[in-house]
C-alpha cells in the first residue's frame, strides 16, 4: 500500500482523478472493512478539507457511526431518518444543497450547511453509507456524486 497520499491537482475533478486509484490500492491491499473506511475518510479529509467525512454502518434497523474525520457526531440513525437514513432506505445518493431545507435533516453540527450521502451497496444490499458535510452551502455537485459513488463501489471489491 502507498506510504502516503499524493494529490497535486488543483481542480476538484483532477483531485478525484488522482485520489481514486490511490484509494483502490489501499482497499485492494486490505480486507478489513473498518480499516478501509478509516483510511478512505482520512484521505477524503486530507484532499478536500470537508467539515465532516465518515461512515455509518447498517446494524439491524439502524445506522451506527463508523470511522470518521471531524467533530463529534450522532451515533445512531434509524432507517428513513435524516439524510443518511433516507439514502439508506432509498438506496441512492442524496445531494442536499442547503441542509435547512431538507425535511428531517439531523443536525449533528450547526456548522454543517450542505451534505452528500452515498449508500454503499454490496450486491443489492446496503451495508453502510458514506456521509460528507460541508460548512459551505451548495458544496456538492454531479462531479462529487460521480466520484464518490466510484469510491463507494470500492467496497464491493
Ligand atoms: N446530517 C446527517 C446526520 C449525520 S451527521 O451529518 C455526521 C443526517 O441528516 O442524516
Amino acid at each position: 500500500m502507498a506510504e502516503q497520499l499524493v494529490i497535486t491537482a488543483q481542480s476538484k475533478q483532477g483531485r478525484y482523478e488522482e485520489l481514486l486509484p490511490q484509494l483502490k490500492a489501499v482497499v485492494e491491499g486490505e480486507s478489513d472493512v473498518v480499516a478501509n473506511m478509516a483510511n478512505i475518510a482520512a484521505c477524503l479529509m486530507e484532499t478536500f478539507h470537508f467539515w465532516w467525512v465518515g461512515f455509518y454502518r447498517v446494524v439491524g434497523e439502524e445506522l451506527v457511526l463508523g470511522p470518521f474525520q471531524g467533530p463529534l457526531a450522532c451515533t445512531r440513525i434509524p432507517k428513513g431518518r435524516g439524510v443518511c437514513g433516507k439514502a439508506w432506505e432509498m438506496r441512492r445518493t442524496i445531494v442536499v444543497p442547503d441542509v435547512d431545507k431538507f425535511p428531517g435533516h439531523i443536525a449533528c453540527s450547526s456548522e454543517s450547511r450542505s451534505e452528500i450521502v452515498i449508500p454503499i451497496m454490496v450486491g443489492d444490499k446496503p451495508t453502510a453509507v458514506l456521509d460528507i458535510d460541508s460548512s459551505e452551502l451548495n458544496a456538492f455537485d454531479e462531479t462529487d456524486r460521480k466520484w464518490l459513488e466510484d469510491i463507494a463501489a470500492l467496497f464491493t471489491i
Side-chain angles (χ1 to χ4, degrees):
M1 139 183 186
E3 291 296 319
Q4 62 176 42
L5 185 67
V6 179
I7 304 290
T8 58
Q10 300 298 312
S11 70
K12 181 193 277 192
Q13 169 81 17
R15 284 172 180 251
Y16 278 119
E17 278 172 14
E18 290 182 5
L19 180 60
L20 184 64
Q22 294 180 73
L23 293 182
K24 190 164 187 279
V26 166
V27 169
E28 281 174 351
E30 174 55 61
S31 60
D32 188 274
V33 171
V34 172
N36 288 333
M37 287 178 171
N39 268 332
I40 288 175
C43 291
L44 281 166
M45 184 60 98
E46 192 179 332
T47 302
F48 294 108
H49 309 289
F50 295 120
W51 176 254
W52 195 93
V53 184
F55 293 87
Y56 283 89
R57 295 164 302 118
V58 173
V59 181
E61 288 305 299
E62 287 180 320
L63 292 170
V64 181
L65 184 63
F68 73 98
Q69 298 268 317
L72 180 74
C74 28
T75 54
R76 287 172 188 269
I77 299 175
K79 195 170 195 174
R81 291 276 307 280
V83 188
C84 291
K86 270 274 179 287
W88 169 26
E89 188 177 61
M90 297 169 78
R91 301 175 175 214
R92 65 168 180 83
T93 299
I94 300 181
V95 177
V96 182
D98 179 349
V99 295
D100 289 339
K101 298 196 173 126
F102 188 94
H105 169 257
I106 301 166
C108 290
S109 161
S110 58
E111 292 292 322
S112 174
R113 309 296 304 280
S114 59
E115 181 163 2
I116 185 168
V117 180
I118 303 96
I120 291 171
M121 305 294 294
V122 174
D124 61 356
K125 198 166 158 247
T127 58
V129 300
L130 168 59
D131 178 20
I132 306 184
D133 289 30
S134 171
S135 55
E136 313 272 315
L137 280 173
N138 231 334
F140 304 102
D141 57 18
E142 280 306 308
T143 300
D144 298 286
R145 178 205 292 268
K146 181 240 176 287
W147 287 98
L148 292 169
E149 287 180 353
D150 286 352
I151 290 169
L154 292 175
F155 286 97
T156 61
I157 290 173

